[in-house]
Amino acid sequence: MTTPTFAHIPLAHITASLTNPRKTFDAPKLAELTESIRASGVHQPILLRPLPGDRVAETDRAVQYEIVAGERRYRACQAAGLDTIPAMIRPLTDAQVLEIQIIENLQRDDLLELEEAEGYEALMRHSTLTADQVGEKIGKSRSYVYARLKLLDLCPEARTALRQRTIPASVALLVARIPDHKLQIKALGEITGRPDGYGGREAMSHRAAARHLQANYMLRLADARFPITAIGLLPQAGSCSTCPKRTGADPDLFADVKSANTCIDPACYHAKEEAHAAAQVQAAQAKGQTVIAGKEAAEMAIGNTWGPPKFKGYKCLDAAEDSPTNVPLRKIIGPILKAEGIQPTLIAHPRNAGEMVECLPNEVVSRLLKAVEGQAAAAKTVTKEVKALVDEKKAKAQAKAQHQYEQGWRDTLLEDTWYALRDDADTDGWSTDVHRLLALRAAHRLHQADATKLAKLLALGQVAPQAALIDLVKTSPMPGRLHLLILMQEASSANDPDYPSHPANEALMLIAQAVWQERLSTIIQEIKAEIHATVWPPADEAGAKNSSAPHAPAAQANRGAGEGAKSGKPGAKGTGKKTARPAVPAAATVGEQEARQGIAAAMQSVEGGPPVADAQAPPQPAGALTIGDKVKILPTAT
């Protein structure tokens, strides 16, 4: 090695190096150094080399040397007004200069990470050294050098954020791992709170940023809808298994990512999804399948932001939400679908680009479900999915019929009580004005469904039923009885009452008790038997003659005089008051064959047919209201 020459060199004969890793100089610290040099001079010489030939043409003729190390001292001497500076002069090659500059600068605490990375890159570019060899020379690990070099992949906005310390180097490295610069800018804005990277709120920590970027900018290849080993799917990208944008291709850089099969290029990933979907469409069309995509598919989608997609007029084969049971339709109708050679329709997923969803039209699903049920009825054994389907439909039919029964006898009791009450010759106990005020308040708070029922009962018409009812209350000579009618209607629901602390149907039962008195229990039994015969009709005429279950016509024939006024107008007088109905059997029996036919009819009802049920309901169910045990009778006003 050539012995260096020591001399005091004029500042005018020196120029700065173009490869110095230090690009920024802290002004306050440079000022401090300037004052120190003014006071006591330069204590350590700078290192120079003769000006290389390739720089002669671009520099002043007076310049003879280039700075290898010590540019801060050179600048401070200029600021202090000195003419010369102590220096060591050595003939060095470009590669030697770079190595010295990098090693010397690594000793500084204020070296910026990007400056360090640029120095490593320049050293490798002007020499034969690899990243591993650079690490050995500077005493750093291979992964450290690669991590610094990766910072050079940052977009300009992210580089600025790093230089200004808006984000630390560890977070900047996470951003640098994103191969798309537009996505880098987006991620930078999410991490710092502003898209330009200058902040605006406190930036995410390294751990939070890592979690965020992994969740939003990396994709698990195990979840890919396309074959990740396919080479021709996207020819310019090749196979995912050998792609350099897979975390497993650089385990040192992605040591924090658990899976080696994670894609860091969402744009390429989604392009492969679209290519795969296009291939699916071509294959489906070649087999004669219907494919719906683009605007047509978007218009068919029923808006939901999560969960399986839903489409107007179609059911998804693999979504339990579109099945009558808790298992997907494919498990129920799959065998018959295959047997009939039915090809599902492919519809583009409304949220997942490139994904196609296998569906069937609603009418086809309905037909196949009925066919499956028919096969189940004839087979000795059925799959658990088909059994669940049959059981579910039976339960729905039973619940529907039970509700019709419970609501039906309440509605009929209300009507009979109203006609008996309306035709009562007794005068109201309170003044007409008081009753009218109470009736108007009750009419105003009445639900629309209840107002519609009363409008029908009072023959007021179907248009604006609540307004028509209010007008009737205003002009009726018997507002007190209309008030009682409204109270009964509010309390006639077979569903759970709005006020659980009150007895169910309290107002209906109290008013009915006041009207029918000791005959109420008999009348309720008669009505229940009538409604039972309507909801659960006999299987056939022969079965009807042999069954003890009451029939609607027979019950009609037994009705008391209170019913006879139904054909009159509101306010008309009837032929009698509170006439008792003849007693009817308290229970009825339904034969096995009748019950089976009832079940079949009820299951048809669930699909949109008339309201029937699938099993016998007792004329007076265990949970039904009776005057003796569920309704507290309050004294009536006289």
Side-chain angles (χ1 to χ4, degrees), residues 16 43 116 270 286 447 488 531 563:
H43 300 289
E116 185 181 351
H270 295 316
H447 290 169
M488 286 193 293
I531 299 303
E563 176 68 12

Side-chain angles (χ1 to χ4, degrees), residues 220-222 246-248 254 256-263:
R220 282 167 39 88
L221 291 173
R246 181 179 63 92
T247 53
F254 295 96
D256 58 309
V257 182
K258 293 181 180 179
S259 174
N261 281 325
T262 300
C263 175

Side-chain angles (χ1 to χ4, degrees), residues 349-585:
H349 196 294
R351 298 185 306 276
N352 300 340
E355 181 177 353
M356 306 300 292
V357 184
E358 290 193 336
C359 303
L360 286 177
N362 290 348
E363 59 272 16
V364 175
V365 171
S366 180
R367 179 180 68 80
L368 294 180
L369 286 173
K370 290 178 180 178
V372 168
E373 293 162 19
Q375 292 178 354
K380 294 182 179 180
T381 59
V382 294
T383 64
K384 63 180 182 179
E385 290 81 14
V386 173
K387 183 177 183 302
L389 170 67
V390 174
D391 291 345
E392 178 79 11
K393 290 206 168 186
K394 284 182 179 180
K396 287 181 179 179
Q398 176 69 28
K400 185 175 182 179
Q402 186 67 31
H403 176 73
Q404 290 172 338
Y405 168 75
E406 293 290 350
Q407 189 63 60
W409 75 259
R410 287 167 171 81
D411 291 344
T412 303
L413 175 63
L414 181 148
E415 292 177 13
D416 285 1
T417 303
W418 163 246
Y419 287 117
L421 180 65
R422 182 195 66 182
D423 299 330
D424 194 332
D426 294 341
T427 59
D428 293 332
W430 297 343
S431 73
T432 300
D433 290 340
V434 172
H435 279 304
R436 198 180 310 281
L437 174 63
L438 295 175
L440 283 173
R441 288 183 176 179
H444 277 289
R445 72 169 181 262
L446 202 60
H447 290 169
Q448 185 70 16
D450 289 333
T452 301
K453 282 189 175 182
L454 291 186
K456 182 178 180 181
L457 174 62
L458 298 171
L460 302 179
Q462 297 297 320
V463 179
Q466 190 169 30
L469 180 61
I470 291 171
D471 289 341
L472 176 63
V473 172
K474 289 178 179 179
T475 59
S476 172
M478 52 175 204
R481 297 176 201 186
L482 287 173
H483 183 207
L484 294 178
L485 174 62
I486 294 172
L487 293 177
M488 286 193 293
Q489 181 60 51
E490 285 183 317
S492 64
S493 174
N495 298 326
D496 293 336
D498 291 334
Y499 303 98
S501 60
H502 291 183
N505 309 120
E506 181 180 33
L508 172 62
M509 291 303 179
L510 287 176
I511 297 169
Q513 173 67 32
V515 172
W516 300 108
Q517 298 177 8
E518 71 278 358
R519 291 176 289 280
L520 180 60
S521 180
T522 300
I523 287 175
I524 289 178
Q525 288 186 8
E526 177 185 347
I527 291 172
K528 286 183 175 181
E530 178 183 331
I531 299 303
H532 170 269
T534 303
V535 175
W536 284 281
D540 49 43
E541 287 298 319
K545 292 178 181 179
N546 297 329
S547 173
S548 60
H551 294 244
Q556 283 283 81
N558 287 332
R559 306 189 96 165
E563 176 68 12
K566 281 192 177 183
S567 59
K569 295 180 179 180
K573 298 298 179 183
T575 58
K577 179 179 73 172
K578 304 175 185 175
T579 306
R581 294 167 177 258
V584 295

Side-chain angles (χ1 to χ4, degrees), residues 61 88 123 142 152 189 285 368 420:
R61 291 184 178 181
M88 302 294 294
L123 178 60
R142 172 182 179 275
L152 300 176
Q285 290 174 336
L368 294 180

Side-chain angles (χ1 to χ4, degrees), residues 172-449:
L173 179 60
L174 297 176
V175 175
R177 298 190 306 188
I178 301 173
D180 184 89
H181 280 194
K182 289 183 179 179
L183 289 180
Q184 280 191 15
I185 295 172
K186 182 173 181 290
L188 181 66
E190 293 165 352
I191 291 170
T192 62
R194 283 182 55 181
D196 57 10
Y198 289 103
R201 63 166 172 77
E202 186 177 355
M204 292 182 188
S205 67
H206 174 269
R207 181 173 296 180
R211 284 197 302 265
H212 177 77
L213 296 183
Q214 284 190 37
N216 296 281
Y217 293 85
M218 297 185 186
L219 297 160
R220 282 167 39 88
L221 291 173
D223 298 333
R225 290 184 289 272
F226 54 86
I228 63 173
T229 57
I231 299 176
L233 193 59
L234 208 63
Q236 65 271 29
S239 169
C240 295
S241 57
T242 57
C243 180
K245 296 178 182 178
R246 181 179 63 92
T247 53
D250 197 343
D252 289 337
L253 188 60
F254 295 96
D256 58 309
V257 182
K258 293 181 180 179
S259 174
N261 281 325
T262 300
C263 175
I264 62 170
D265 190 351
C268 178
Y269 185 99
H270 295 316
K272 286 192 174 184
E273 283 184 324
E274 293 175 3
H276 177 64
Q280 280 186 305
V281 169
Q282 290 181 353
Q285 290 174 336
K287 293 191 297 183
Q289 282 183 270
T290 301
V291 179
I292 303 174
K295 291 183 178 179
E296 186 180 0
E299 291 176 359
M300 291 173 58
I302 299 174
N304 60 338
T305 56
W306 59 275
K310 288 184 174 293
F311 301 100
K312 298 173 186 175
Y314 284 81
K315 302 289 186 187
C316 300
L317 283 175
D318 297 306
E321 288 77 4
D322 276 354
S323 172
T325 68
N326 60 354
V327 297
L329 276 170
R330 193 186 297 275
K331 288 191 175 182
I332 301 172
I333 63 175
I336 196 169
L337 193 69
K338 184 177 180 181
E340 293 191 14
I342 298 175
Q343 294 288 345
T345 298
L346 292 181
I347 305 179
H349 196 294
R351 298 185 306 276
N352 300 340
E355 181 177 353
M356 306 300 292
V357 184
E358 290 193 336
C359 303
L360 286 177
N362 290 348
E363 59 272 16
V364 175
V365 171
S366 180
R367 179 180 68 80
L368 294 180
L369 286 173
K370 290 178 180 178
V372 168
E373 293 162 19
Q375 292 178 354
K380 294 182 179 180
T381 59
V382 294
T383 64
K384 63 180 182 179
E385 290 81 14
V386 173
K387 183 177 183 302
L389 170 67
V390 174
D391 291 345
E392 178 79 11
K393 290 206 168 186
K394 284 182 179 180
K396 287 181 179 179
Q398 176 69 28
K400 185 175 182 179
Q402 186 67 31
H403 176 73
Q404 290 172 338
Y405 168 75
E406 293 290 350
Q407 189 63 60
W409 75 259
R410 287 167 171 81
D411 291 344
T412 303
L413 175 63
L414 181 148
E415 292 177 13
D416 285 1
T417 303
W418 163 246
Y419 287 117
L421 180 65
R422 182 195 66 182
D423 299 330
D424 194 332
D426 294 341
T427 59
D428 293 332
W430 297 343
S431 73
T432 300
D433 290 340
V434 172
H435 279 304
R436 198 180 310 281
L437 174 63
L438 295 175
L440 283 173
R441 288 183 176 179
H444 277 289
R445 72 169 181 262
L446 202 60
H447 290 169
Q448 185 70 16

Side-chain angles (χ1 to χ4, degrees), residues 112-166:
L112 296 179
E113 294 83 3
L114 274 174
E115 295 175 346
E116 185 181 351
E118 289 164 352
Y120 294 155
E121 182 188 42
L123 178 60
M124 293 169 62
R125 187 173 60 247
H126 291 89
S127 69
T128 58
L129 295 177
T130 64
D132 295 53
Q133 292 170 332
V134 169
E136 291 177 2
K137 281 186 171 290
I138 63 175
K140 300 289 184 179
S141 66
R142 172 182 179 275
S143 59
Y144 176 90
V145 175
Y146 274 104
R148 282 292 185 262
L149 290 171
K150 189 64 180 177
L151 293 177
L152 300 176
D153 289 338
L154 287 170
C155 62
E157 293 82 356
R159 288 192 177 200
T160 301
L162 176 58
R163 287 193 181 98
Q164 296 186 352
R165 299 302 185 187
T166 304

